[in-house]
Amino acid sequence: MKKEIEKYLAVPGKKVSLKDYRTSYNGDQEKEDGKEELEEIKERLSKLQETLYAANAHSVLILFQAMDAAGKDSAISHVMSGLNPQGCQVFSFKTPTSEEYEHNFLWRHYKALPERGRIGIHNRSHYENVLVCKVHPEYVLSENIPGYQDVKDIDDKFWKNRYESIRNFEKHISDNGTAIIKIFLNVSKDEQKARFLDRINDPAKNWKFSSADITERGRWEDYMEAYEMAIAETSTEQAPWYIVPADKKWHARLAISQILEEHFNRLDLKFPVLEEAEMKKLAEIKEELLKT
């Protein structure tokens, strides 16, 4: 498994070209076999989640980023379906509110971090600030940052500083016990087109489609460049990026589950061991219960 997921890893310190990552890769695996393996991994993830909660030392933050119709929502619902909802926190980040614009761009993401023992799932994340804002720098002006009053003020130095802020943010929370896993669902432009048409043709899916999706699709190359830069600048040993092929949804879900299991195992989670006095007390209680 480890060898397989390394194919998706954006190696820290190296440039990223999304053209080097096949969007339709399926690991030479049949769909039914992949779905069966996914169910097996989900069972193991459930047990790992229980240990994570009991140990109460780490938390896990899983970030999902992708172009529209890449399958973020369905991946979250399928892969995480075996987890205990009480141990998960799911956030979907949209356009910042007026209150959020009154703080630095990471403020609302600090607030959404998972507690120890819990899993945080972010559908879109702080990376929107170097993705959609990179393609539409005019959005940055709403943050009212001193020295950036016009789009022409938003230069390479600005983005360099923002990548650095993200790296520092992730290093800080990682150093304090949060395991970070970042997933980019890499869908092709042709597959996105097919999924858009499916949403338009199926009345039950019309609500998923927005004309704004087509506007953003027209900036496809700009988004690919923004993703390449963001991933290359922020894939680190502590917070790696994985570029997961997303044209085949079943395989994307399997790949995500494999990545999660690998990172959970790296935490070397163990159930707490009670002190001798507590163990003795449990034995006494057990003896009393057996008498009744």
Side-chain angles (χ1 to χ4, degrees), residues 12-261:
K14 290 191 176 182
K15 289 184 178 181
V16 172
S17 174
L18 291 175
K19 293 178 180 178
D20 294 336
Y21 294 83
R22 288 171 50 197
T23 60
S24 60
Y25 177 75
N26 66 358
D28 297 323
Q29 193 169 27
E30 295 297 327
K31 183 176 181 178
E32 290 307 311
D33 292 338
K35 291 173 71 173
E36 183 178 338
E37 183 180 349
L38 173 60
E39 292 305 313
E40 293 171 355
I41 295 176
K42 282 163 61 175
E43 289 185 16
R44 296 197 291 270
L45 285 174
S46 177
K47 294 176 182 177
L48 287 165
Q49 181 195 19
E50 183 180 2
T51 315
L52 174 76
Y53 182 81
N56 196 38
H58 295 277
S59 60
V60 176
L61 176 62
I62 308 165
L63 309 182
F64 286 90
Q65 290 286 160
M67 295 294 286
D68 294 314
K72 297 187 304 299
D73 292 343
S74 63
I76 292 170
S77 64
H78 279 78
V79 176
M80 310 301 173
S81 62
L83 300 179
N84 184 340
Q86 294 184 91
C88 295
Q89 303 166 331
V90 183
F91 291 89
S92 294
F93 291 98
K94 301 185 183 300
T95 303
T97 64
S98 57
E99 179 190 19
E100 290 166 346
Y101 270 133
E102 291 301 313
H103 297 80
N104 71 78
F105 79 95
L106 288 170
W107 180 73
R108 64 175 180 164
H109 303 286
Y110 265 111
K111 290 176 62 180
L113 291 175
E115 303 164 6
R116 287 189 180 89
R118 294 169 69 89
I119 299 169
I121 302 164
H122 290 186
N123 185 344
R124 301 191 186 277
S125 66
H126 49 284
Y127 280 95
E128 292 294 284
N129 296 280
V130 290
L131 294 169
V132 66
C133 288
K134 187 81 177 289
V135 176
H136 297 281
E138 64 273 17
Y139 294 168
V140 173
L141 302 182
S142 298
E143 299 179 40
N144 200 26
I145 303 171
Y148 296 96
Q149 306 306 314
D150 192 280
V151 170
K152 69 178 187 298
D153 299 327
I154 304 170
D155 53 10
D156 289 344
K157 181 180 178 181
F158 174 86
W159 297 114
K160 182 178 179 180
N161 289 339
R162 187 147 283 195
Y163 295 133
E164 183 178 12
S165 294
I166 289 174
R167 289 193 300 268
N168 290 339
F169 165 63
E170 293 177 348
K171 182 179 186 303
H172 173 69
I173 63 175
S174 175
D175 287 345
N176 284 275
T178 298
I180 307 167
I181 307 162
K182 301 182 295 195
I183 306 293
F184 170 57
L185 289 173
N186 188 25
V187 70
S188 67
K189 195 173 183 180
D190 286 344
E191 180 61 23
Q192 186 197 56
K193 175 182 175 180
R195 293 180 188 180
F196 278 170
L197 289 171
D198 183 47
R199 291 179 178 184
I200 293 171
N201 293 330
D202 185 347
K205 295 181 180 180
N206 286 172
W207 65 273
K208 290 185 176 183
F209 186 77
S210 167
S211 58
D213 296 341
I214 295 299
T215 302
E216 297 309 291
R217 176 178 165 83
R219 303 292 299 273
W220 184 275
E221 294 305 322
D222 294 331
Y223 272 105
M224 293 301 101
E225 183 178 339
Y227 269 108
E228 288 173 347
M229 183 63 72
I231 292 171
E233 288 283 344
T234 62
S235 190
T236 64
E237 294 293 339
Q238 289 176 303
W241 270 106
Y242 291 92
I243 301 171
V244 174
D247 282 3
K248 293 180 172 59
K249 287 187 176 182
W250 68 267
H251 180 72
R253 296 163 187 166
L254 174 60
I256 292 166
S257 70
Q258 292 171 336
I259 291 166
L260 297 186
E261 184 178 22

Side-chain angles (χ1 to χ4, degrees), residues 256-270:
I256 292 166
S257 70
Q258 292 171 336
I259 291 166
L260 297 186
E261 184 178 22
E262 171 65 23
H263 279 269
F264 267 93
N265 286 332
R266 290 179 190 178
L267 295 177
D268 193 25
L269 299 167
K270 292 180 174 61

